[in-house]
Every structure is written in structure tokens, then in C-alpha cells.
Amino acid sequence: MAITLQNNTADEYIAIDGEIKMNTTNRVPFNSTSVDFYYSPSGFSLTFYNNRNHQSEKSIRFAFKSDIKTGTYNIKEGAFVGATYFEHLNEINGGHPEDYEAVEGYLIITATGEGTPERSYHVTDFKLTVKSTFSGKKRELEGNFKCRIEDVVKSPT
């Protein structure tokens, strides 16, 4: 599914909403409706946040090529560019980010709305093994998410 903004002007905006449900070992379930969408001509990413801007902040980001289509994708294969997971680690005088990179896994996605101002992405299942760039430990992540994106163009005045 190619992502194209309708007019690619300063008067064009997007409306986005989404929801994720994810589990990992030794953590409470990650459920969130806080989502960011980042776009470039070659692809896009969706980042979901849990406890955003708090000491217990966590996030997960999925990156896709702009031509993502319905199907099953292994990590870094085809239109599934990659995924990252983030946790904020706490200590008495501050904290440290712990970034994880997906090293194996898959997702099953249904992409609809190609070539229209309204697009949706429904990942019915994902399972990822992520590895920390800080501590080297691995985590297993699994869950599902959905996201809807709508182009909104300001009407001429």
C-alpha cells in the first residue's frame, strides 16, 4: 500500500488513531491508544506509547516500507523494515533508557485503503524477540494492534 498525501501541501494534515495490546515476560500488559505516525516517501512508522513522559515509560515502534500489503512478514523482510522496543530504567538520581532492537519474529497484517485518503493497518498477531543495546538481554513480545490514518486537507478560504 503506497502512502501518498493527497496534495502534499502545508494545508494537509492527518488524523490518526490506534490501539495496541502487547505482553512480555515480567511486565504488566502494555495496552495503549497513544500512537505517533512518522512518514517519509520510502516508508512510515507507527510508535505506540505506554505511560508517556513518566518514569515507567515504554514504547514500541514498527517500521514499514510505503508499499506494505496484506500478508505475513518476517522481521526485516519485504515491507516490514523492523521494530524497536524501549523502556525507561530508573535509579535514585535519574534513569537510563533501555533500547531493544528486534532480532527475530513476524507479524500478520491486513492493510486496506490503498490510494485513498483513509487507510487502516490491522496486525492480528505479532511475535518478536528483541535484544537490549544496553544490557544485552532479550525479551519476547507478542500482541496485536490496529491503526487508522485519514488525510485531512484544509478547505480554501
Side-chain angles (χ1 to χ4, degrees), residues 1-132:
M1 170 176 297
I3 300 280
T4 54
L5 297 175
Q6 297 301 307
N7 297 315
N8 204 16
T9 69
D11 289 334
E12 186 169 10
Y13 304 90
I14 62 161
I16 182 168
D17 62 358
E19 176 180 36
I20 190 169
K21 295 178 181 179
M22 182 185 78
N23 291 300
T24 187
T25 54
N26 299 318
R27 298 289 185 268
V28 298
F30 180 119
N31 299 317
S32 180
T33 57
S34 177
V35 61
D36 283 346
F37 171 76
Y38 297 96
Y39 167 81
S40 76
S42 62
F44 67 98
S45 68
L46 300 169
T47 305
F48 292 90
Y49 295 90
N50 191 303
N51 297 319
R52 195 172 193 173
N53 299 318
H54 290 85
Q55 288 183 328
S56 59
E57 179 178 348
K58 294 171 181 52
S59 67
I60 186 165
R61 182 180 68 86
F62 297 87
F64 302 99
K65 290 183 181 174
S66 61
D67 61 350
I68 185 82
K69 300 209 183 309
T70 297
T72 300
Y73 295 90
N74 289 320
I75 188 76
K76 300 180 183 175
E77 176 183 280
F80 183 23
V81 175
T84 57
Y85 175 69
F86 165 85
E87 301 187 316
H88 184 84
L89 302 176
N90 294 289
E91 60 185 6
I92 293 174
N93 294 319
H96 190 281
E98 184 161 35
D99 295 304
Y100 293 78
E101 176 86 23
V103 293
E104 57 185 80
Y106 71 91
L107 61 72
I108 301 169
I109 189 169
T110 301
T112 58
E114 181 173 359
T116 72
E118 296 180 16
R119 298 167 303 282
S120 67
Y121 306 96
H122 185 191
V123 171
T124 56
D125 185 38
F126 69 83
K127 291 186 180 167
L128 302 171
T129 300
V130 294
K131 183 177 179 181
S132 171

